[in-house]
Structures are given as structure tokens and as C-alpha cells.
Amino acid sequence: DDDDWYAEDVKKALFADYIKGRSENTFAPNDTLTRAEAAVIFNRLVPSYGMYGTDEVADFDDFTELAWAEDSLAVAYNKGYLEGYPDNTLQP
């Protein structure tokens, strides 16, 4: 709603195209932001120069859960902004 404390920031983010929402008409601002969603937002904001490929993230055990964000996770991982867990997962 336009009265929500985050309404103006959401409108700006949508306009700048670094946040798209969960669907065409759902944003879910009160839901927890996942690591995969954060990586996608990050990738839209920060240039991905020097991306080394996606092989590293494909080796994580939970890769099938995060394939939709593979490129963004690879950028964040390869630049050192995101690390895996000791159990060989990214826990997207």
C-alpha cells in the first residue's frame, strides 16, 4: 500500500529495475530475503566485471535449488561477497 513505510523505496527500486518482485503483481516486502534473492539484487547493482563462470557454484550440493540465480550467485561468490557453508551448501 502507498501508506506503508517502505512504499517509496519499493517504487524507486522497481523503477530502477534492481528489484522485480516475486511475480508480476506480488512484491512480499515482509518476507525474508533469501541469499539467492540478495545475490540477484546485488548483481543488478554491481557490475559483474571479472566473473569467472558458474562452475564453482554448480559444485554446491544444493545447486538444483538455486539454478534460477546461478549467474548472480556466481558473481557474488567469485567476487568474495558470498561463501558456502562447511556442509558444501550455499543455502540459498
Side-chain angles (χ1 to χ4, degrees):
D1 292 333
D2 287 339
D3 295 343
D4 291 328
W5 66 269
Y6 49 77
E8 287 301 314
D9 291 319
V10 169
K11 289 176 187 176
K12 290 175 188 175
L14 289 169
F15 180 78
D17 204 32
Y18 64 86
I19 291 179
K20 296 188 184 285
R22 298 264 164 104
S23 70
E24 195 171 307
N25 60 356
T26 302
F27 188 74
N30 293 313
D31 287 0
T32 301
L33 186 69
T34 68
R35 288 166 51 95
E37 291 167 337
V40 170
I41 294 167
F42 171 80
N43 194 36
R44 291 179 183 151
L45 290 170
V46 177
S48 57
Y49 306 119
M51 187 178 132
Y52 308 105
T54 59
D55 291 345
E56 294 88 354
V57 293
D59 290 337
F60 286 100
D61 293 340
D62 55 353
F63 175 73
T64 57
E65 298 173 37
L66 52 90
W68 65 271
E70 176 182 4
D71 290 340
S72 296
L73 287 163
V75 170
Y77 181 81
N78 289 323
K79 288 183 169 278
Y81 294 111
L82 179 73
E83 293 182 351
Y85 287 89
D87 65 352
N88 197 45
T89 62
L90 275 176
Q91 300 180 21

